[in-house]
Amino acid sequence: MSTTAQVHVPRAFGKAALPYALVAPAILVALGIAVLPLLYALWLSFQDWYLLRNPQPVWGGLVNFQALLTDGALWRAFWRTWIWTLGTVAVEIGLALPLALLLNRDTTVARLASALILLPWVMPFIVLGYGWRFLLDSEVGALHALLQFFGIAGNSSILNDPNLALAVITFISGWKGMPFMVLALLAALKSIPDELYEAAAIDGAGPWQRFVSITLPSIQNTMLIIGLVLGILAFYSFDLPWIMARGGPQDATTILGITMFKAVFTDLRPAYAAAISVVMLVILAAASFLTLKLGRRP
């Protein structure tokens, strides 16, 4: 082999390997943050670890998963979590779609509102939760007084009503996630060519027909993907229901995130909590796959 060939081979190899070397640190960080905890949770879910009985985990096989099947409180929390997740996404879409359509107009007010609408999204959960608790407080809450005036609330806060607490906190959760959906839909709306609307108007299509035939199909994929992302975040929620109601009243707002928290810090069963997290991951992965498979347009 000539000297020239010997020089070109290492240079070509180094040039090809450079992109992989540049992304390697990010991949290692992602593995450390996501994959390793996942593997640990999977391993822990097969252990028998009750802190008052065993100082260290011992192999338990399927004991935790067998306990899941007979845990009535867990199943009730499971259905509440789906109500919470689907309700949150429904509120986000229901609020975001009309707002995105209004903000799509190129006006000074629309540009200012586009910036202000981010406030719920960037607000920390602790501030948001206690702020809404104050508004709904039965003694000093302005929103409670308004609801009481219209006969919706009684002398006690609606957060103390087992029939209303979950619905109220679900609406607040959707309100917080709404800005992210608004911005995504707004970007999708601005990518629709104006020529499509002009051609439809020439053909005699009214505003509703243009919305159904042009706007909705054009933003459907965006709505699906962003709704799926926000739904995943809602499915794993813990902070807002815990801050506002501690899972009550009468476990009315106890979702799976709170159930796992109580399994570790109240019942002292971290292995059982790990088994719940593994089942949640499997269910959510299957639901996400079916959603993308059935709902996304080609």
Side-chain angles (χ1 to χ4, degrees), residues 3 10 26 30 36 69 92 156 209 216 234 293:
T3 305
L36 293 181
L69 298 176
E92 288 163 347
S156 179
Q209 291 174 312
L216 200 57
K293 189 72 174 178

Side-chain angles (χ1 to χ4, degrees), residues 32-99:
I33 293 177
V35 177
L36 293 181
L38 175 61
L39 294 177
Y40 177 73
L42 184 61
W43 171 83
L44 187 59
S45 66
F46 290 99
Q47 308 301 306
D48 184 10
W49 195 10
Y50 176 45
L51 293 177
L52 294 181
R53 184 180 61 209
N54 302 325
Q56 297 295 331
V58 295
W59 180 256
L62 298 176
V63 61
N64 293 312
F65 296 98
Q66 292 171 348
L68 291 176
L69 298 176
T70 58
D71 191 342
L74 178 67
W75 281 103
R76 289 189 292 273
F78 173 78
W79 294 117
R80 279 189 222 104
T81 303
W82 277 114
I83 295 172
W84 159 270
T85 301
L86 296 177
T88 295
V89 176
V91 170
E92 288 163 347
I93 294 175
L95 294 177
L97 183 56
L99 280 174

Side-chain angles (χ1 to χ4, degrees), residues 102-187:
L102 290 174
L103 296 178
N104 192 37
R105 301 176 180 273
D106 189 15
T107 63
T108 304
V109 175
R111 288 191 291 270
L112 179 61
S114 298
L116 293 177
I117 206 169
L118 280 173
L119 288 177
W121 177 258
V122 301
M123 191 179 300
F125 273 106
I126 189 71
V127 176
L128 181 79
Y130 279 107
W132 277 96
R133 279 185 62 179
F134 178 80
L135 289 173
L136 294 171
D137 185 85
S138 58
E139 296 181 2
V140 296
L143 185 55
H144 173 79
L146 182 64
L147 295 175
Q148 195 174 32
F149 176 79
F150 286 104
I152 300 175
N155 294 326
S156 179
S157 170
I158 56 176
L159 293 176
N160 296 327
D161 187 341
N163 298 317
L164 294 177
L166 182 62
V168 171
I169 300 177
T170 299
F171 177 82
I172 296 171
S173 174
W175 172 79
K176 177 173 173 51
M178 170 266 300
F180 189 71
M181 178 69 77
V182 169
L183 294 182
L185 293 180
L186 190 57

Side-chain angles (χ1 to χ4, degrees), residues 188 191-193 196-197 213-222 297:
S191 68
I192 303 174
L196 293 178
Y197 293 106
S213 302
I214 299 175
T215 305
L216 200 57
S218 299
I219 65 175
Q220 181 175 317
N221 282 345
T222 300
R297 294 175 65 245

Side-chain angles (χ1 to χ4, degrees), residues 22-31:
L22 292 176
V23 301
I27 293 175
L28 292 176
V29 171
L31 289 175

